[in-house]
Amino acid sequence: MKKIAIILVCLGLIFTSCSKPAEEKPIEAATQNPFFEDWDTPFEVPPFDRIEEAHYMPAFLKAMEQHKAEIESIVQNSEPPSFSNTVEALDSSGASLTKVDFVFQNMAGAHTNEKIQQIEQEVAPLLAKHDDDINLNEELFQKTKSVYEQKGSLDLTPEQSMLLEKTYIGFIRGGANLSKEKKARFREINEEMSVLSVKFAKNVLDETNAFEMVLEEEDLAGLPQSVISAAAEAAEEKDHEGKWVITLHKPSFIPFLQYSDKRELREKVFNSFANIGNNNNEYDNKAFSSKTAALRVERAKLLGYDTHADYILEENMAKNPANVYKLLQQVWEPALAKAKREAQEFQAKIEKEGKDFQLQPWDWWYYAEKVKKAKYDLDDSALRPYFKLENVRQGAFDVATKLWGITFHYLEDMPIYHKDVRVMEIKDADGSHIGILYMDYFPRASKQGGAWMSPYRKQHRKDGKNIRPVIVNVGNFTKPTSDKPALISFDDALTLFHEFGHALHGLLTNCTYETLSGTDVATDFVELPSQIMENWASDPEVIRTYARHYETDEPIPDELIAKIKKAGTFNQGFANVEYLASCFLDMDWHTLKNAEEEEKDCAAFEKASMEKLGLIPEIIPRWRSTYFEHIFANGYSSGYYSYLWSEVLDADAFQAFKETSLFDQKTAAAFRKNILEKGGTEDPMTLYLRFRGAAPKIDSFLKREGLK
């Protein structure tokens, strides 16, 4: 089965306004289930207006049976195993299962409810068992192995060679060479981990939604009007008329930490976020984190690896844990030194105000904002009026148009799963159809935190036809209020461009095999197409085109752009340290070696990890173990470092444009041809060298971050 590729890292309401509970409208016949039909919607997108929760489980069960039959057909084929009748047949199998899985997994992240969460818990072990049934099918493995052993004489294209390599290695990594007894234990581990990951993510979402801090008027001191208005609307949604509410969704609590003069309230909301999943209640994740890590150790050992990190990194550009630690340490030392200087600067500000407390993590955002305003005459509230979400989104589109000639066209009357969703058709420079992009940008109780891209349909070729992709970008940006449009921060603008870069990777891919297309690449390569877009987002030439005042439509003044540029490396010690601390935490969890001994006390393990690292007490990891969904619920275990490695790549790659021009057509064409279109069809370093002509150097990244 082709796994869904949710990129963030990176969540109950009813499904759609026209959905009805299963008990009101039982499924009487298979033909009533949209997943059992060809979709006659525009561009064959999912018919969200017809899909109900009750459709998912029957669709999963039937699709798994169909997939099993397809696998059995490959196994029972009496002809000698060939690339076509074995490897290609395996790649094209499971289309029905992929169809329902992509829709369901996206809905579980972007618009869940209790019924969907219940289905998640029921279907997760079934899917794990289904995957294992394929990976551990001895006859299927032997057929694949037979083809693999002939690879030198098959005259395959590079893409075919990569498909054969990944298919064969996938069987090995999936336990095909294990003994009967070890295969049985391997299955048990995979099924248990599948359930743990679902429960982990549910606990994070439920505890996030359970928190609300109700404010009185005197608690509003220091808050800009935009934050007050958003808090008032949140209070109204939660039936606290005449009050104000702060939640643990980042568009709510981060501005509160930046501006609130009420230190005790900053402490309350910060600690509530920092202890998601760590409150010894029904949402507690400590045991889930520890158990997952222990099971991963055991599975790695079964497969012959020293650690889970060795198992994961084998397929990444980094190759092994030592290389990851070396990279992290290269940045950690200058970043920590800078963060310590920042802490001293903020402590001096506290003392200058005549206060006698020591800087704490809940003070950092507040004093960073104060010092930034004092040093650069710049604060977030002054910038937001220029970053209307629709304008930022159009800015991202315009960059893509200038680089590759692609155009974006809004579509009305498309089936959507929530009223906030917008849909666009993307066309190439010659007017041909590229794909469909769904955009879902505002937070709600039914959505996971963070931002990500994922597919509803991946690009591939089938029976001579180029199947075009359907992609979704999901975010959690500041919502519009009754008197203002959605005004986002500059950091949010960077995030929007980032996720749009992932979307471009999924949209512009031009591959034959679904297994290799789009974002199905090494984890530490997948962030290159996204992070390089942030360079355009922050370039003064581009900012002028999309940063316009929401009331006057006047472009952002040059002096504000100059201030943004001047403040570009401000607080980057903090930003890098909190991120790197999570990278080290991820690696420490996944370089454990002794399965029988490694179900650790989660809190004690994390504390020891950070003490060994020398993390200063004024900063905590960006993601702590009990809400670190990237590594315990999504696909970034032993891979959170990949953002850093990709930043090294993107800084170096963007330099290719800076050496020519911002929208140099030759460079843009090379990036599209060698990076965006290729998916996972060739080794990522081979692709990068073909684009850049040389291996990436870390210097450009360190300089950009103000660490050199």
Side-chain angles (χ1 to χ4, degrees):
M1 188 182 69
K2 303 163 188 72
K3 304 277 196 307
I4 190 166
I6 293 183
I7 308 298
L8 253 222
V9 48
C10 346
L11 267 201
L13 298 172
I14 59 172
F15 191 64
T16 64
S17 58
C18 58
S19 295
K20 296 179 181 178
E23 59 269 19
E24 294 181 22
K25 186 179 177 182
I27 299 173
E28 297 173 353
T31 55
Q32 291 180 269
N33 190 321
F35 289 110
F36 300 158
E37 307 166 1
D38 291 331
W39 292 339
D40 59 1
T41 52
F43 306 100
E44 299 179 351
V45 301
F48 294 112
D49 53 340
R50 295 177 53 220
I51 297 173
E52 301 173 2
E53 290 93 336
H55 293 139
Y56 286 118
M57 188 57 79
F60 269 121
L61 295 174
K62 182 173 181 178
M64 281 188 276
E65 286 303 314
Q66 290 175 340
H67 196 191
K68 288 177 183 177
E70 291 164 353
I71 297 299
E72 188 62 20
S73 177
I74 298 171
V75 169
Q76 295 302 323
N77 190 331
S78 59
E79 296 180 1
S82 68
F83 181 81
S84 176
N85 69 23
T86 302
V87 179
E88 284 187 320
L90 184 57
D91 176 75
S92 63
S93 70
S96 296
L97 184 54
T98 300
K99 184 177 180 179
V100 61
D101 193 46
F102 277 179
V103 174
F104 179 77
Q105 298 296 350
N106 276 305
M107 202 58 53
H111 196 33
T112 191
N113 58 35
E114 289 184 4
K115 292 180 180 178
I116 289 176
Q117 290 173 336
Q118 181 61 39
I119 295 168
E120 269 193 291
Q121 294 187 49
E122 292 175 6
V123 81
L126 298 179
L127 291 173
K129 180 181 183 301
H130 181 74
D131 279 350
D132 285 339
D133 286 345
I134 296 172
N135 288 328
L136 301 175
N137 185 312
E138 182 63 25
E139 293 174 288
L140 183 62
F141 172 58
Q142 290 302 328
K143 280 178 171 281
T144 304
K145 184 179 180 181
S146 174
V147 179
Y148 184 75
E149 290 173 343
Q150 305 170 47
K151 64 179 181 178
S153 61
L154 294 180
D155 192 27
L156 302 177
T157 67
E159 183 173 357
Q160 290 173 329
S161 294
M162 182 61 78
L163 181 66
L164 175 56
E165 182 78 18
K166 287 193 172 182
T167 302
Y168 176 71
I169 296 301
F171 276 107
I172 303 300
R173 293 168 59 81
N177 276 338
L178 296 178
S179 67
K180 182 178 179 181
E181 294 75 17
K182 289 183 176 180
K183 282 180 179 178
R185 179 56 186 154
F186 187 81
R187 285 176 176 275
E188 292 172 355
I189 292 171
N190 285 338
E191 290 186 32
E192 186 172 358
M193 288 197 302
S194 71
V195 174
L196 289 173
S197 68
V198 170
K199 290 180 177 178
F200 186 98
K202 183 179 186 299
N203 284 346
V204 173
L205 177 62
D206 289 350
E207 185 142 73
T208 298
N209 288 336
F211 176 87
E212 58 181 44
M213 186 169 70
V214 182
L215 306 180
E216 304 294 337
E217 188 168 5
E218 60 269 23
D219 298 327
L220 304 178
L223 299 180
Q225 186 56 49
S226 60
V227 179
I228 295 173
S229 297
E233 296 210 357
E236 189 174 335
E237 289 175 5
K238 293 177 175 291
D239 297 324
H240 295 293
E241 293 292 336
K243 305 289 186 181
W244 298 263
V245 165
I246 301 299
T247 71
L248 293 185
H249 296 288
K250 284 198 170 184
S252 177
F253 83 84
I254 293 296
F256 186 84
L257 290 175
Q258 286 177 297
Y259 296 109
S260 174
D261 292 336
K262 297 289 186 177
R263 187 170 187 250
E264 69 281 4
L265 296 181
R266 296 201 309 268
E267 180 179 5
K268 178 181 178 181
V269 72
F270 181 89
N271 283 334
S272 296
F273 176 78
N275 285 291
I276 290 173
N278 186 33
N279 292 299
N280 300 316
N281 55 18
E282 68 269 33
Y283 310 127
D284 201 272
N285 271 337
K286 291 193 289 294
F288 291 151
S289 300
S290 301
K291 185 63 175 177
T292 298
L295 288 169
R296 286 172 174 167
V297 177
E298 184 180 358
R299 184 178 65 177
K301 291 291 186 181
L302 282 174
L303 293 171
Y305 297 90
D306 283 345
T307 70
H308 176 73
D310 285 288
Y311 167 69
I312 294 295
L313 294 171
E314 177 184 63
E315 293 198 311
N316 284 1
M317 295 179 78
K319 299 305 179 188
N320 59 64
N323 287 339
V324 175
Y325 277 117
K326 180 180 178 181
L327 172 68
L328 296 178
Q329 202 65 45
Q330 276 184 281
V331 184
W332 175 258
E333 292 177 6
L336 183 62
K338 185 168 187 178
K340 288 178 178 178
R341 294 194 297 272
E342 291 165 355
Q344 291 170 354
E345 190 172 17
F346 300 163
Q347 187 64 49
K349 180 70 172 173
I350 292 170
E351 293 166 5
K352 188 175 180 180
E353 292 178 343
K355 297 170 182 173
D356 61 357
F357 59 81
Q358 189 67 31
L359 179 72
Q360 297 295 329
W362 50 88
D363 299 316
W364 193 289
W365 292 84
Y366 180 73
Y367 281 96
E369 197 64 32
K370 281 195 168 191
V371 171
K372 184 170 69 172
K373 183 170 178 58
K375 289 181 71 170
Y376 306 105
D377 191 24
L378 182 67
D379 66 62
D380 184 64
S381 61
L383 292 177
R384 280 182 184 263
Y386 292 97
F387 290 93
K388 180 180 174 181
L389 185 143
E390 291 81 1
N391 291 347
V392 177
R393 181 172 59 198
Q394 187 60 48
F397 294 163
D398 289 344
V399 166
T401 300
K402 290 177 181 177
L403 288 169
W404 301 294
I406 60 179
T407 56
F408 301 81
H409 309 270
Y410 283 99
L411 299 176
E412 303 292 340
D413 302 320
M414 293 288 286
I416 55 177
Y417 56 86
H418 189 275
K419 62 182 179 62
D420 289 342
V421 175
R422 299 291 177 267
V423 189
M424 303 202 76
E425 179 189 7
I426 292 80
K427 295 182 179 181
D428 216 332
D430 62 2
S432 60
H433 174 75
I434 289 178
I436 298 297
L437 176 62
Y438 282 73
M439 295 160 291
D440 179 4
Y441 284 145
F442 302 129
R444 52 181 173 265
S446 62
K447 184 191 286 187
Q448 290 179 355
W452 65 90
M453 162 271 181
S454 52
Y456 283 113
R457 181 174 67 238
K458 291 181 63 186
Q459 181 272 335
H460 61 286
R461 287 179 171 81
K462 182 180 181 182
D463 300 327
K465 181 181 179 182
N466 192 346
I467 308 299
R468 300 312 306 167
V470 178
I471 302 297
V472 61
N473 268 170
V474 183
N476 279 277
F477 304 126
T478 303
K479 296 172 64 174
T481 62
S482 58
D483 61 341
K484 285 187 178 70
L487 301 176
I488 65 177
S489 68
F490 179 58
D491 282 346
D492 284 340
L494 297 179
T495 299
L496 189 149
F497 269 74
H498 177 106
E499 296 305 330
F500 178 62
H502 282 308
L504 289 172
H505 200 184
L507 289 162
L508 297 180
T509 185
N510 186 23
C511 302
T512 299
Y513 303 111
E514 188 172 5
T515 303
L516 303 176
S517 77
T519 56
D520 264 326
V521 301
T523 305
D524 49 6
F525 190 65
V526 77
E527 297 298 332
L528 168 58
S530 55
Q531 291 184 176
I532 196 171
M533 290 299 294
E534 295 185 37
N535 292 277
W536 279 284
S538 59
D539 190 277
E541 181 182 332
V542 178
I543 292 177
R544 291 187 188 96
T545 68
Y546 71 82
R548 309 183 72 88
H549 199 283
Y550 78 97
E551 291 178 316
T552 66
D553 201 40
E554 290 292 317
I556 188 169
D558 285 345
E559 55 265 31
L560 268 183
I561 295 178
K563 290 175 182 178
I564 293 173
K565 195 73 174 174
K566 190 176 179 183
T569 61
F570 175 76
N571 207 34
Q572 287 306 298
F574 166 82
N576 279 283
V577 162
E578 66 153 7
Y579 162 71
L580 290 166
S582 292
C583 294
F584 278 106
L585 183 60
D586 170 27
M587 292 301 297
D588 287 354
W589 272 118
H590 295 118
T591 49
L592 298 173
K593 292 187 175 182
N594 300 310
E596 299 80 9
E597 304 170 11
E598 298 301 7
E599 194 165 337
K600 301 289 188 180
D601 179 293
C602 181
F605 180 84
E606 181 177 306
K607 184 174 183 290
S609 174
M610 294 300 100
E611 287 178 349
K612 177 182 67 176
L613 189 58
L615 180 65
I616 58 177
E618 296 89 347
I619 301 177
I620 69 168
R622 182 177 297 177
W623 304 105
R624 298 188 63 200
S625 300
T626 54
Y627 54 91
F628 204 164
E629 289 184 90
H630 289 78
I631 68 170
F632 289 122
N634 293 321
Y636 276 74
S637 64
S638 306
Y640 194 59
Y641 78 91
S642 63
Y643 292 94
L644 173 60
W645 174 237
S646 293
E647 280 195 87
V648 173
L649 291 176
D650 90 69
D652 185 75
F654 190 67
Q655 193 62 30
F657 287 92
K658 300 296 284 186
E659 291 165 1
T660 51
S661 66
L662 199 58
F663 296 102
D664 180 69
Q665 294 300 286
K666 184 178 179 181
T667 309
F671 190 79
R672 177 173 177 173
K673 178 182 179 180
N674 295 299
I675 306 296
L676 296 177
E677 291 186 357
K678 288 294 186 179
T681 59
E682 295 185 62
D683 177 80
M685 185 56 78
T686 299
L687 296 176
Y688 189 83
L689 290 172
R690 195 178 296 153
F691 161 68
R692 190 69 170 104
K697 298 181 177 66
I698 199 171
D699 299 40
S700 295
F701 166 74
L702 293 174
K703 184 177 180 181
R704 186 180 67 187
E705 300 296 301
L707 302 178
K708 181 178 181 181

